[in-house]
């Protein structure tokens, strides 16, 4: 296969910046990785189109039918490169303790030495792209700048959608502005160390040598061997969560794995809510929800990440650091998330989805009736009933956020939006009620710290066993989780009564028959309404050992197709079950030893006492 990239006009963009540190770093990386050329990205539409052409000409992508999905491509990855690789993800802080028991740690100097071996000559035969990007509206005081160096046109195109790229970012960076260094290579040089040459492949990667490494002390990311999603689009999980969480700890703000939504009541009053759920628990669906409660409106600010800083009024203001949606495709449909489907109508990148005979995409559950034939994500013929999936379960769409029909007009406000409530959630079939309000910020931090999901039959381990995923940050916290909880408590102390209220929600409780008790999706607006009215001091609640639950009649059930018994069960506090769970919480906390905040111990003891009193 000939390299289309040689036909590209490369831009020597050194003159685009006066930032010496940046120019020097690009030179150093070029000397180490030995690309054929260097291209500085200006972030223009033309450049984006050129990247798509490069991918199509090089065999990485193909155009979808322009009448059905204008200006959109489909890409198939190597089957050895389909998801984030948590076991190959490292936090290289000074000490192992700083990374904590929930992260893989590696010594920073050792890791750099190992990686230099892999990166040397890694870009031979390729172009090194320099991508200056802003996480958050360019110039916002909450935003941060990064520069990604990569040899992947797929990454360049995705970064164009997911972040704000180009010259305007360098202008804000100025001669001595700070930026996060994000170095990436797919790890597939076209000239090998012994001098032999090889042809390019549609999805170059190094399937057996992946390293997703973070250096929080020097604010660097080095990612090698994978071209997929969170491993390769370094602005997202690597920067906006792992590195940013460590920056937030040092600087007194919050970098969270949370959607941001705007909720408006029938009187036209709006509040902003953040919500953290583990991956694949419906964050994108909640962020774009169509309420079933008449007169209420949900609009989207972000679907995955929230950066929050204190405003002059002492409240927490959030921005969405991203510029697009990198969502899981399977399961997304006009039923589960019509606004996501509408966001995908054009200008999108689809990865590992099925390709229909009329040149469109399809994935499991997209429509009730599957197409009669398609080409699956492996490039093979697929017909309904075939055991193999048409789309990989982690198939993704990359879509500009501006295409979402319910994007809030203030989604790019550089000052962010003031947050009234934070929801934590997980996937629990028992015990955890539909909604539960924390008594205090400290109690809410505790509820976030014990968030988790039950293992399903598909995963290793005992079915029903709880996997704690504190604040949905387990794979994304860039430092010791115990210190992270302490930071959460410190921020709460600083904000005092101006802090958002904290809630725990669970859409996944099941009845004795094993069926979900709550219909979810648009009906979740009933819970959002209760939260809104609690913050407004209008909805009533009852105190229980685990927190404040909706008082009888305070949750709007008008028109809801759920039986009285199911509702009772959804709001029932299972004192015996929670008492049983205390041991698991103690064991979860014990791993943090002396880094477990005193406030967390206090909350656990108080919970135990309240449960004992209720027995
Ligand atoms: C994501 C994730 O891709 O959480 O957003 O895995
Ligand atoms: Mn996520």
């Amino acid at each position: 296969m000939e390299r289309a990239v040689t036909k590209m006009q490369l831009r020597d963009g050194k003159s685009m910046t006066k930032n010496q540190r940046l120019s020097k770093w690009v030179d150093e990386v070029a000397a180490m990785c030995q690309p054929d050329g260097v291209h500085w990205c200006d972030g223009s539409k033309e450049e984006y189109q050129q990247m798509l052409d490069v991918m199509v000409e090089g065999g990485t992508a193909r155009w979808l039918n322009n009448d059905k999905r204008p200006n959109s491509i489909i890409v198939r990855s190597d089957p050895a490169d389909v998801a984030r690789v948590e076991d190959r993800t490292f936090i290289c802080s000074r000490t192992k303790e700083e990374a904590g028991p929930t992260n893989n740690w590696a010594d920073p100097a050792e890791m750099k030495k190992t990686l230099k071996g892999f990166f040397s000559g890694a870009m031979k035969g390729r172009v090194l792209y320099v991508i200056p990007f802003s996480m958050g509206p360019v110039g916002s005081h909450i935003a941060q700048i990064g520069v990604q160096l990569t040899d992947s046109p797929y990454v360049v195109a995705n970064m164009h959608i997911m972040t704000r790229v180009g010259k305007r970012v360098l202008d804000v960076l100025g001669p001595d502005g700070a930026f996060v260094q994000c170095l990436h290579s797919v790890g597939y040089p076209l000239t090998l160390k012994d001098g032999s040459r090889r042809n390019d492949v549609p999805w170059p990667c190094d399937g057996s040598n992946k390293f997703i490494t973070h250096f929080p002390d020097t604010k660097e990311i080095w990612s090698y061997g994978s071209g997929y999603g969170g491993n390769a689009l370094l602005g997202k999980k690597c920067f906006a969560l792992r590195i940013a969480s460590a920056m937030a700890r040092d600087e007194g703000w919050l970098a969270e794995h949370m959607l941001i939504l705007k909720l408006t009541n029938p009187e036209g009053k709006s509040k902003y809510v953040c919500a953290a759920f583990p991956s694949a628990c419906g964050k994108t669906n909640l962020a774009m929800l169509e309420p079933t409660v008449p007169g209420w409106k949900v609009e989207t600010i972000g679907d995955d990440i929230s950066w929050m800083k204190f405003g002059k009024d002492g409240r927490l203001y959030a921005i969405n650091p991203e510029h697009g949606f990198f969502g899981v495709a399977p399961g997304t449909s006009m039923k589960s998330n019509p606004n996501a489907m509408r966001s995908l109508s054009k200008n999108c990148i689809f990865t590992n989805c099925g390709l229909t005979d009329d040149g469109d995409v399809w994935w499991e559950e997209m429509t009730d009736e599957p197409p009669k034939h398609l080409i699956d994500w492996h490039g093979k013929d697929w017909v309904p009933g075939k055991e193999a999936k048409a789309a990989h379960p982690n198939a993704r769409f990359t879509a500009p956020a501006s295409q979402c029909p319910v994007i809030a007009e203030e989604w790019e406000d550089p000052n962010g939006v003031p947050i009234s409530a934070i929801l934590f959630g997980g996937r629990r079939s028992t015990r955890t009620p539909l909604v539960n309000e924390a008594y205090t910020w400290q109690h809410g931090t505790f509820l976030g710290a014990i968030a988790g999901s039950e293992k399903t039959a598909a995963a290793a381990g005992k079915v029903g066993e709880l996997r704690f995923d504190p604040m949905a940050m387990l794979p994304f916290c860039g430092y010791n989780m115990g210190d992270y909880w302490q930071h959460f408590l410190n921020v709460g102390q600083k904000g005092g009564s101006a802090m958002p209220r904290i809630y725990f929600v669970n859409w996944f409780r099941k009845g004795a028959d094993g069926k979900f008790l709550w219909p979810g999706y648009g009906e979740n607006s009933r819970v959002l309404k209760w939260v809104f009215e609690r913050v407004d001091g209008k909805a009533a609640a009852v105190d229980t050992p685990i927190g404040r639950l909706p008082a009888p009649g305070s949750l709007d059930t008008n028109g809801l197709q759920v039986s009285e018994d199911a509702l009772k069960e959804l709001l029932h506090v299972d004192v015996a079950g929670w008492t049983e769970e205390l041991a698991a919480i103690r064991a979860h906390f014990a791993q943090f030893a002396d880094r477990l905040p005193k406030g967390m111990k206090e909350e656990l003891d108080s919970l135990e006492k309240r449960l004992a009193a209720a027995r």
Side-chain angles (χ1 to χ4, degrees):
M1 187 186 307
E2 229 223 302
R3 280 175 299 119
V5 100
T6 48
K7 296 181 199 129
M8 209 183 113
Q9 187 81 43
L10 302 184
R11 182 182 304 105
D12 175 6
K14 277 248 180 81
S15 59
M16 278 160 58
T17 181
K18 290 196 171 59
N19 194 297
Q20 291 299 318
R21 187 174 152 239
L22 174 56
S23 301
K24 193 163 158 266
W25 176 55
V26 172
D27 286 345
E28 281 165 12
V29 169
M32 174 169 70
C33 299
Q34 298 162 48
D36 279 8
V38 178
H39 174 81
W40 287 65
C41 297
D42 68 356
S44 63
K45 233 176 140 178
E46 295 70 39
E47 182 174 76
Y48 176 74
Q49 290 305 129
Q50 206 171 17
M51 286 302 125
L52 300 191
D53 288 339
V54 166
M55 275 192 277
V56 170
E57 284 162 27
T60 300
R62 58 176 287 169
W63 292 109
L64 292 174
N65 182 336
N66 210 49
D67 295 332
K68 294 196 167 282
R69 216 63 72 170
N71 201 33
S72 297
I73 56 167
I74 182 167
V75 176
R76 284 181 211 122
S77 81
D78 187 307
D81 194 21
V82 291
R84 285 188 290 101
V85 280
E86 289 178 20
D87 59 332
R88 303 298 307 156
T89 299
F90 299 88
I91 301 296
C92 305
S93 43
R94 267 173 299 240
T95 65
K96 192 169 174 10
E97 287 64 42
E98 279 171 78
T102 57
N103 280 316
N104 298 316
W105 176 80
D107 177 79
E110 293 276 316
M111 181 54 92
K112 280 266 175 85
K113 201 165 139 206
T114 305
L115 287 177
K116 278 180 183 161
F118 283 102
F119 273 102
S120 80
M123 298 185 185
K124 279 191 176 161
R126 298 191 185 282
V127 167
L128 163 58
Y129 298 94
V130 180
I131 315 172
F133 64 96
S134 175
M135 296 309 290
V138 179
S140 157
H141 72 283
I142 311 179
Q144 300 280 346
I145 289 176
V147 180
Q148 177 157 355
L149 306 188
T150 182
D151 53 5
S152 163
Y154 173 83
V155 166
V156 178
N158 274 272
M159 288 292 283
H160 262 250
I161 298 178
M162 294 305 297
T163 73
R164 290 133 174 118
V165 170
K167 169 90 171 66
R168 59 198 173 130
V169 177
L170 292 175
D171 293 344
V172 171
L173 183 64
D176 42 34
F179 64 96
V180 172
Q181 293 184 349
C182 308
L183 172 56
H184 171 250
S185 172
V186 293
Y188 196 92
L190 300 179
T191 303
L192 300 177
K193 290 211 159 78
D194 63 8
S196 61
R197 306 231 350 127
R198 61 179 166 182
N199 285 338
D200 207 352
V201 291
W203 184 276
C205 65
D206 185 349
S208 41
N209 291 299
K210 290 181 193 157
F211 292 89
I212 321 299
T213 66
H214 307 74
F215 301 86
D217 298 305
T218 48
K219 299 190 182 68
E220 288 172 276
I221 300 158
W222 287 37
S223 167
Y224 179 88
S226 166
Y228 205 90
N231 300 331
L233 313 179
L234 300 186
K236 195 174 180 64
K237 304 298 184 184
C238 298
F239 180 172
L241 290 175
R242 298 195 191 98
I243 293 291
S245 61
M247 293 165 82
R249 167 199 59 187
D250 297 342
E251 297 165 11
W253 50 282
L254 293 172
E256 300 302 324
H257 191 202
M258 293 178 184
L259 65 88
I260 313 166
L261 64 82
K262 175 183 181 184
L263 182 60
T264 304
N265 73 4
E267 288 76 54
K269 192 169 166 185
S270 299
K271 293 190 193 303
Y272 302 92
V273 176
C274 283
F277 297 87
S279 306
C281 280
K283 280 215 308 296
T284 305
N285 295 350
L286 185 61
M288 300 177 189
L289 167 143
E290 290 194 332
T292 51
V293 190
W296 287 73
K297 194 158 87 178
V298 167
E299 289 162 281
T300 314
I301 308 269
D303 79 327
D304 196 39
I305 300 175
S306 169
W307 283 357
M308 288 172 269
K309 274 192 180 166
F310 286 108
K312 287 196 183 76
D313 59 359
R315 297 186 70 187
L316 273 184
Y317 283 72
I319 60 161
N320 169 12
E322 301 192 279
H323 195 232
F325 307 123
F326 182 68
V328 176
T332 308
S333 68
M334 285 307 284
K335 269 192 211 145
S336 68
N337 193 340
N339 288 318
M341 291 302 285
R342 292 175 193 124
S343 310
L344 305 181
S345 59
K346 56 186 178 207
N347 304 321
C348 286
I349 299 172
F350 296 92
T351 311
N352 287 345
C353 299
L355 172 65
T356 63
D357 293 349
D358 57 1
D360 201 0
V361 281
W362 192 83
W363 48 75
E364 275 65 24
E365 291 174 51
M366 184 197 215
T367 51
D368 289 340
E369 276 287 308
K372 296 212 161 32
H373 171 265
L374 52 70
I375 302 297
D376 70 14
W377 73 277
H378 281 291
K380 298 213 169 84
D381 285 311
W382 182 94
V383 287
K386 194 172 169 183
E387 206 183 315
K389 301 254 189 251
H392 184 278
N394 192 38
R396 297 282 180 148
F397 52 77
T398 321
S402 57
Q403 289 185 184
C404 177
V406 292
I407 198 82
E409 61 181 4
E410 58 274 60
W411 83 282
E412 300 206 82
D413 187 333
N415 295 316
V417 293
I419 301 301
S420 295
I422 291 177
L423 316 185
F424 290 121
R427 188 181 277 271
R428 299 291 306 268
S429 60
T430 59
R431 287 178 200 164
T432 308
L434 181 63
V435 57
N436 174 23
E437 183 186 79
Y439 287 116
T440 59
W441 180 266
Q442 177 170 292
H443 182 222
T445 305
F446 171 77
L447 293 179
I450 64 168
S453 287
E454 282 149 13
K455 283 184 183 144
T456 64
K462 214 169 104 204
V463 173
E465 193 181 302
L466 193 57
R467 181 205 196 224
F468 287 103
D469 185 355
M471 284 83 167
M473 283 288 276
L474 187 66
F476 307 123
C477 184
Y479 60 104
N480 191 308
M481 187 70 78
D483 296 349
Y484 166 75
W485 294 338
Q486 185 60 58
H487 174 61
F488 228 83
L489 294 176
N490 296 346
V491 169
Q493 276 251 310
K494 181 167 176 212
S497 60
M499 290 304 278
R501 289 232 197 134
I502 299 182
Y503 297 81
F504 201 97
V505 299
N506 178 27
W507 320 133
F508 301 99
R509 195 148 166 172
K510 288 181 177 168
D513 58 0
K515 294 209 174 105
F516 288 114
L517 290 166
W518 183 249
Y521 301 110
E523 301 293 14
N524 293 338
S525 57
R526 297 173 189 277
V527 173
L528 293 178
K529 179 183 173 195
W530 187 76
V531 166
F532 186 113
E533 292 178 343
R534 281 295 296 162
V535 173
D536 253 359
K538 291 199 178 118
V542 286
D543 288 5
T544 81
I546 59 168
R548 296 196 169 111
L549 265 65
S554 72
L555 187 76
D556 186 342
T557 55
N558 269 332
L560 177 69
Q561 305 286 314
V562 170
S563 71
E564 277 300 312
D565 283 353
L567 262 179
K568 237 198 216 143
E569 181 65 19
L570 280 161
L571 297 174
H572 169 68
V573 177
D574 177 3
V575 172
W578 275 96
T579 306
E580 217 177 275
E581 192 149 319
L582 291 170
I585 300 173
R586 282 204 189 282
H588 166 51
F589 279 1
Q591 60 182 317
F592 301 100
D594 58 354
R595 291 181 106 118
L596 178 72
K598 196 167 115 282
M600 293 294 92
K601 260 197 288 234
E602 277 169 20
E603 287 301 327
L604 180 53
D605 292 343
S606 307
L607 171 64
E608 188 161 19
K609 278 199 201 106
R610 290 195 301 264
L611 287 167
R615 286 177 72 118

